[in-house]
Amino acid sequence: MIIGMTGGVGSGKSTVLAMLKRYEKVRICMADELGHQVMEPGKAAYQKIIAHFGEEICDDNKQIDRTRLGKIAYADERQLAILNEIIHPLVWEEIQRQANMYGEDNMFFVESAILFECGLDKLCKEVWGILTDDTLRFQRLQESRGYSRKRAESIMRNQVSDSYLKRHCDRLIHNDGSEEELEAEIARVMSGYGYRRCNSGK
């Protein structure tokens, strides 16, 4: 069962996933990491990206420099669309492969901040959205990543809104309280699916 996990920056997706890892038959996949992997030398997207964007996006070690690539792609919607057309199908294929490998009795969580934007929700049986009050998100981003409020607001403006998540997600996880309260909510949800924590889970 593939379950999408999404939420805005600073909402606490990583915290929720860390808690889910403590449950039996739960597998975690980070879509962003897969996107990076398919761009490595010798991987499926590497040559296609260089053929389109040019070798100037590579560093001295022939690795694709994602910062250089990003400056080109994010400055032009058409270029970004081309990049996504190269990467997204390969990421989806790998997600499906991994999910099939683990079997139907596992909960296979796929985390992506742009899950809806890239159409990844179409692979998922369910989508969970993590909701957190904006003030708390600003605080977390400042403390954990050193983001200024201006930078955090800029990122948040370019992500799907909480109202969108409320309309399109199958389940909402609220992360406005303490870690203990979040863990209790996760435990309640997972119990409803018949999954229990590993004996070694703390």
Side-chain angles (χ1 to χ4, degrees):
M1 179 167 62
I2 301 177
I3 299 178
M5 174 77 70
T6 193
V9 61
S11 61
K13 296 186 296 296
S14 297
T15 301
V16 173
L17 290 173
M19 292 178 179
L20 288 170
K21 285 180 181 178
R22 302 170 188 166
Y23 286 80
E24 295 177 348
K25 296 184 178 181
V26 165
R27 307 290 183 234
I28 306 294
C29 174
M30 311 296 284
D32 192 45
E33 291 181 5
L34 292 182
H36 295 167
Q37 290 172 18
V38 299
M39 290 195 293
E40 293 174 356
K43 299 292 183 167
Y46 179 81
Q47 217 46 63
K48 292 181 180 179
I49 293 173
I50 292 176
H52 179 77
F53 291 95
E55 293 187 359
E56 60 269 22
I57 64 170
C58 294
D59 60 22
D60 294 339
N61 297 316
K62 301 299 182 183
Q63 297 271 356
I64 292 175
D65 186 316
R66 294 198 300 274
T67 300
R68 296 179 191 175
L69 177 60
K71 286 180 179 178
I72 299 172
Y74 289 101
D76 184 329
E77 289 185 3
R78 179 176 171 275
Q79 296 300 328
L80 180 59
I82 291 171
L83 179 62
N84 289 339
E85 286 170 6
I86 295 172
I87 294 176
H88 289 168
L90 297 170
V91 171
W92 297 342
E93 183 180 321
E94 178 59 19
I95 289 170
Q96 190 69 67
R97 187 193 70 79
Q98 290 187 21
N100 292 340
M101 178 178 66
Y102 288 122
E104 294 182 0
D105 62 337
N106 286 269
M107 295 182 80
F108 189 80
F109 286 90
V110 179
E111 186 276 334
S112 175
I114 57 169
L115 185 135
F116 286 107
E117 294 94 322
C118 69
L120 188 52
D121 58 299
K122 296 178 178 63
L123 281 182
C124 303
K125 183 175 182 180
E126 293 182 6
V127 176
W128 293 13
I130 313 302
L131 296 181
T132 306
D133 177 76
D134 284 353
T135 301
L136 186 54
R137 290 170 65 189
F138 288 134
Q139 180 184 333
R140 289 174 180 169
L141 291 169
Q142 184 177 38
E143 293 175 353
S144 65
R145 306 187 195 182
Y147 285 5
S148 67
R149 187 179 182 89
K150 183 177 180 180
R151 183 179 181 188
E153 287 177 342
S154 175
I155 296 172
M156 290 165 66
R157 277 196 301 269
N158 288 292
Q159 295 182 326
V160 296
S161 64
D162 283 357
S163 60
Y164 184 95
L165 295 179
K166 289 175 182 177
R167 293 194 307 271
H168 293 87
C169 290
D170 300 288
R171 181 177 296 278
L172 299 173
I173 303 294
H174 295 273
N175 187 21
D176 296 318
S178 66
E179 194 165 306
E180 290 75 18
E181 289 171 323
L182 177 61
E183 194 155 16
E185 182 172 2
I186 295 297
R188 177 184 58 78
V189 171
M190 294 301 286
S191 176
Y193 287 92
Y195 286 77
R196 61 183 183 180
R197 282 174 54 153
C198 303
N199 291 333
S200 58
K202 299 295 184 184

